[in-house]
Amino acid sequence: MVDIDKLIDSIDVDNLVIPFGRIKHIRSTTITAIGLEVAIGDIVKIESEQHLYTVLGMVATIDATDFTIVPFSFIDGFRIHDKVYLQKEGLSVKTGYGLLGRVVNALGEPIDNKGRIEDIEESSAINKVSMPALERGIIDERFSTGVKAVDSMLTSGKGQKVGIFAGSGVGKSTLMGMIVKGCQAQIKVVALIGERGREIPEFIHYNLNDDLENTIIIAATSDESALMRKYGAFTAMAIAEFFRDKGHDVLLMMDSVTRFAMAQREIGLSTGEPPVSRGYPPSVFALLPQLMERAGNNAKGSITA
């Protein structure tokens, strides 16, 4: 016989009714909705009743009666009154040694036609605060890039952050490939943010010689939404932090910080922020250190960026 009391106790009372909001207004890059209690940075699911698919979005601004969502993909097919659900678990990426040798998108999903990613150990939050200043290790150990000109004249240390600046077509990607192939880091994480689609396989083939051993590529191409390009960088950092906390020395390379800033500029301008410096809204200058300061040394390992 069925134990009615045990069955009743197993019911999750908090989830008997799933709250949802409704789309109130749709712009070219943002959606305004009502009917949910949300916070800045919350992740929501937007459901198209006509086309029966959902996309993720991030809450960017909140007013007294409504809130603005920036979607992770394009908003074609959505209509007024479509439903919006709050995703309670937030935004995370699955991390583990199965990521080595793979190419993933900004959400950590494989895009290299090699099947699902195995050997996943945990889900890591994409948005984190950086480690406290007094928990950072001193940069006192040499980091070998494998490029003699850099190692002899511009010596780097484990946990250091280094910028590579040059005009287009003079060899930044070539230098990146040389460092990835020749450096002493045990794990290499490469974020390609805002690149043209054809440049991803070209970078892997010409600059890395199709060798992705101990290397992870995170790709968010220029045709993807600004939010995907923004979070591609944060996903790469979250993956690098996972391996650092496992005791590895990690190399994190991002091409490029400029396109990361441009993605946040698109988001900021679309939500009504004023352009204050060279067309960049204030959120860009707040966001850059939130990403950069997550690199560095701790008691377990290092991220050299």
Side-chain angles (χ1 to χ4, degrees):
M1 296 179 64
V2 177
D3 188 340
I4 300 298
D5 292 332
K6 185 176 181 181
L7 184 62
I8 292 174
D9 291 339
S10 67
I11 297 174
D12 186 355
V13 179
D14 294 332
N15 289 321
L16 286 178
V17 178
I18 301 176
F20 62 87
R22 295 279 189 180
I23 292 177
K24 173 185 174 183
H25 186 76
I26 301 175
R27 299 180 182 87
S28 58
T29 56
T30 61
I31 291 174
T32 303
I34 57 174
L36 275 179
E37 293 185 4
V38 294
I40 293 293
D42 277 351
I43 303 301
V44 297
K45 292 180 180 179
I46 313 164
E47 184 179 89
S48 171
E49 294 183 356
Q50 180 182 14
H51 299 286
L52 302 178
Y53 69 89
T54 62
V55 303
L56 294 179
M58 183 194 71
V59 177
T61 65
I62 302 175
D63 290 327
T65 58
D66 55 37
F67 54 94
T68 303
I69 304 165
V70 180
F72 276 90
S73 60
F74 300 106
I75 58 178
D76 297 347
F78 287 103
R79 302 183 299 180
I80 303 299
H81 302 309
D82 278 347
K83 293 180 180 180
V84 179
Y85 297 91
L86 179 63
Q87 182 168 289
K88 294 182 180 180
E89 62 268 22
L91 201 60
S92 62
V93 59
K94 294 180 179 178
T95 49
Y97 288 91
L99 285 168
L100 297 176
R102 302 301 298 269
V103 182
V104 299
N105 66 9
L107 300 178
E109 300 164 342
I111 56 174
D112 52 8
N113 298 319
K114 294 182 180 179
R116 64 190 300 268
I117 297 174
E118 306 290 344
D119 196 12
I120 293 299
E121 297 186 25
E122 61 186 64
S123 290
S124 300
I126 290 178
N127 286 324
K128 295 180 184 176
V129 296
S130 58
M131 72 181 89
L134 295 182
E135 291 183 11
R136 291 181 177 273
I138 301 297
I139 300 173
D140 58 359
E141 191 174 347
R142 179 173 172 270
F143 180 84
S144 175
T145 66
V147 181
K148 292 182 180 179
V150 175
D151 290 337
S152 60
M153 305 297 292
L154 301 167
T155 308
S156 300
K158 288 183 180 180
Q160 188 174 352
K161 295 183 283 288
V162 181
I164 300 174
F165 300 89
S168 59
V170 297
K172 294 190 299 297
S173 296
T174 301
L175 177 59
M176 283 179 59
M178 293 171 65
I179 294 174
V180 170
K181 288 187 293 184
C183 75
Q184 66 180 34
Q186 299 151 345
I187 306 292
K188 299 100 176 227
V189 181
V190 181
L192 301 176
I193 308 300
E195 296 277 13
R196 290 166 288 184
R198 68 168 179 81
E199 293 176 325
I200 308 299
E202 285 181 0
F203 178 80
I204 296 171
H205 179 70
Y206 292 113
N207 299 114
L208 301 183
N209 295 330
D210 293 316
D211 181 10
L212 294 182
E213 184 181 5
N214 295 330
T215 302
I216 306 159
I217 306 287
I218 295 89
T221 52
S222 59
D223 61 313
E224 296 187 72
S225 69
L227 205 58
M228 288 290 277
R229 283 177 272 137
K230 168 186 173 180
Y231 276 105
F234 282 100
T235 293
M237 184 64 76
I239 292 171
E241 287 173 328
F242 166 81
F243 287 105
R244 176 187 63 188
D245 293 342
K246 291 293 184 181
H248 297 289
D249 293 321
V250 182
L251 170 71
L252 171 64
M253 303 198 78
M254 183 166 72
D255 187 4
S256 69
V257 175
T258 299
R259 288 190 286 268
F260 168 75
M262 290 171 66
Q264 179 59 30
R265 177 171 66 180
E266 289 182 37
I267 296 169
L269 294 177
S270 69
T271 55
E273 284 190 70
V276 294
S277 177
R278 297 185 181 180
Y280 289 98
S283 61
V284 172
F285 305 104
L287 192 70
L288 284 169
Q290 291 177 22
L291 175 69
M292 303 297 179
E293 285 299 301
R294 287 169 61 179
N297 299 334
N298 64 13
K300 299 176 182 177
S302 67
I303 298 176
T304 304

